Amino acid sequence: MIDIATRVYNHNWKIDPIVRSLIDTDFYKLLMCQFVRRNKPGTRVEFQLINRSTHIRMADEIDESELREQLDHIRTLKLSRAESTWLRGNTFYGQRHMFRSDFMAWLEDLSLPPYKLKKSDGQYELLFEGEWPEVMLWEVPALAVLTELRSRSVLKKMDKFELQVLYARAMTRLWEKIEKLRVLDKLRVADFGTRRRHSFLWQDWCVQAMMEGLENKFVGTSNCLIAMRRETEAIGTNAHELPMIYSALADDDEELSQAPYKVLEDWRKEHEGNLRIILPDTYGTERFLENAPDWIAGWTGIRIDSGNPEELGEIAIEWWKSKNEDPASKRIIFSDGLDADKIAFLQKRFDGRVRVSFGWGTLMTNDFRGLAPNGSLDPFSLVCKAVSANGCDTVKLSDNPLKAVGPIAEIERYRRIFGASEPVPMELLV
């Protein structure tokens, strides 16, 4: 196992680039990329960096030349033969040849498109634009680069002894969380922490710790590169960008109201079983479920990624009952702002009533809260979202209003069309 403190102390980015592979990304990005190439070819999009934690002035903490160097390095990456073989031949979700030959030929030849970068009032404005399948693959590595560069700016100021103590404390913290979780019966937890991780080396260590401490209760990682290297499952289905972009492409209000269901209609043509997971919160979970076609209730489960998880879990159970579906046969995946105590609480609350899983993100792979002076290594909320499609603005409402994306006028239009309830302010951790 790598001595992380020594490796960090001796950092040379050519040995330890922040992103070292095109598959150092979330599994659902590759699934969605293949889906987009089949269903929405030719769509042009813009993705933009959005720092929700505006008190963090990234441009003051991260050197621009280092940022450009890392982003330029990502554009040189190509799939290795081993990576291509793994994607082509591995079994994902019980299915071999998940990725079609035409998609793999395209991916093997891919170089990520150019980016636009400038500073504005202490923040970086980072924009990616072009064909949707290419641009979408920038999201995860771009976030990983910015998050780790901020960490590196702090770590550079520490001597080797300080680094040893820092990582010893962080390792102890994670292991204490694992000890809390390992006693839970029927626990299923996966690593969802790539995009806002402390570093690649740290995420890899966290996955190894989870595999060791939780054994079969740890079900995999969203990170494809780590899944390949550690011989664990690659986990993920789909994300908000699909309904956001489908909606932006709608010609009128009626088509807009049906766009989130059109996404699932197209998705079910390609995937079944555990890949049929609903992500209902893009424009409000309650209204999504109220207006959903009956066939959606037959899907495997729901991922809850914003709002109050207890309340939304209860809403999902009642919805299944109203559709004559047995909630005990369904799965709820909780994936928003999780930590060990919340995971334990939700597991106990819903155990036996529904099949429960957890996608544990930032507070697994980047919980250095209070371990560095002035909270300089504390995680913060940074996202990279689709902001336009074919020249039309995208919108996300979310069950947490602090996660809303889009121009104010469009947000109000979407709220009217989707019947979204009045937003209630709530905490936004990461």
Side-chain angles (χ1 to χ4, degrees), residues 129-381:
E129 54 188 2
E131 299 288 329
W132 188 6
E134 298 177 0
V135 172
M136 68 189 297
L137 294 179
W138 261 118
E139 177 186 354
V140 176
L143 292 173
V145 162
L146 283 152
T147 304
E148 184 166 348
L149 278 178
R150 180 172 181 259
S151 297
R152 289 188 180 192
S153 71
V154 176
L155 300 173
K156 285 177 184 177
K157 301 170 186 174
M158 296 183 175
D159 62 30
K160 189 172 181 180
F161 189 83
E162 289 176 308
L163 289 169
Q164 293 283 5
V165 172
L166 173 76
Y167 283 106
R169 288 173 172 169
M171 289 174 178
T172 300
R173 175 175 289 179
L174 178 61
W175 194 254
E176 288 173 346
K177 295 179 183 184
I178 290 171
E179 290 179 325
K180 284 184 179 180
L181 296 176
R182 69 198 309 176
V183 301
L184 300 176
D185 291 335
K186 302 178 188 175
L187 177 69
R188 288 175 54 91
V189 60
D191 159 39
F192 276 19
T194 299
R195 62 190 58 216
R196 288 191 289 266
R197 66 194 181 195
H198 171 76
S199 71
F200 173 82
L201 295 177
W202 180 248
Q203 182 184 13
D204 186 43
W205 186 89
C206 290
V207 167
Q208 292 177 74
M210 297 281 280
M211 293 174 70
E212 176 72 20
L214 295 179
E215 298 179 336
N216 62 2
K217 294 177 181 179
F218 179 71
V219 296
T221 173
S222 65
N223 187 289
C224 295
L225 182 60
I226 294 175
M228 183 184 77
R229 290 184 175 181
R230 300 301 168 193
E231 298 184 339
T232 188
E233 295 292 325
I235 301 292
T237 53
N238 55 65
H240 299 103
E241 72 179 84
L242 295 184
M244 288 174 67
I245 292 177
Y246 267 59
S247 297
L249 297 175
D251 290 330
D252 52 41
D253 289 0
E254 174 59 26
E255 188 175 328
L256 171 57
S257 71
Q258 296 303 307
Y261 308 119
K262 175 60 176 169
V263 170
L264 300 187
E265 186 178 323
D266 288 345
W267 187 264
R268 70 173 173 168
K269 296 173 185 174
E270 298 194 25
H271 300 297
E272 56 187 21
N274 287 332
L275 285 172
R276 289 191 176 180
I277 298 294
I278 307 163
L279 181 62
D281 69 319
T282 309
Y283 304 119
T285 294
E286 289 191 69
R287 295 295 178 268
F288 177 95
L289 296 179
E290 285 178 9
N291 298 320
D294 289 342
W295 55 266
I296 291 179
W299 278 35
T300 302
I302 284 177
R303 180 158 73 93
I304 295 177
D305 194 54
S306 63
N308 184 306
E310 306 99 273
E311 291 179 4
L312 293 169
E314 298 293 348
I315 287 170
I317 288 172
E318 291 305 312
W319 176 68
W320 279 315
K321 289 179 179 178
S322 74
K323 299 294 184 180
N324 296 315
E325 297 280 346
D326 178 12
S329 70
K330 301 296 184 179
R331 183 170 301 283
I332 296 180
I333 302 171
F334 295 100
S335 60
D336 179 36
L338 296 177
D339 209 355
D341 289 338
K342 185 181 285 189
I343 290 172
F345 171 79
L346 292 170
Q347 176 70 32
K348 291 174 182 176
R349 174 160 182 157
F350 291 102
D351 183 36
R353 303 169 62 203
V354 69
R355 297 155 66 203
V356 184
S357 296
F358 301 93
W360 193 6
T362 306
L363 295 182
M364 186 188 87
T365 60
N366 197 4
D367 190 3
F368 286 71
R369 291 174 294 179
L371 298 183
N374 303 313
S376 53
L377 285 179
D378 291 8
F380 64 109
S381 188

Side-chain angles (χ1 to χ4, degrees), residues 68-131:
R68 289 185 180 276
E69 193 172 36
Q70 294 288 346
L71 295 174
D72 290 341
H73 169 72
I74 292 170
R75 296 196 64 224
T76 70
L77 294 174
K78 294 281 190 178
L79 281 189
S80 71
R81 180 175 297 180
E83 292 164 350
S84 179
T85 299
W86 182 75
L87 288 172
R88 283 179 178 271
N90 196 45
T91 298
F92 302 102
Y93 285 85
Q95 180 181 334
R96 286 184 65 82
H97 309 300
M98 177 76 76
F99 297 104
R100 298 185 301 273
S101 294
D102 65 307
F103 173 74
M104 286 304 306
W106 173 84
L107 187 63
E108 287 160 354
D109 193 47
L110 177 69
S111 296
L112 293 190
Y115 60 88
K116 295 180 180 179
L117 176 68
K118 66 178 182 178
K119 292 181 179 180
S120 177
D121 191 25
Q123 302 293 345
Y124 281 114
E125 292 184 4
L126 182 57
L127 184 71
F128 309 99
E129 54 188 2
E131 299 288 329

Side-chain angles (χ1 to χ4, degrees), residues 35-46:
F35 171 86
V36 167
R37 289 191 74 247
R38 169 173 284 187
N39 291 279
K40 295 292 181 183
T43 303
R44 295 191 64 80
V45 300
E46 292 182 327

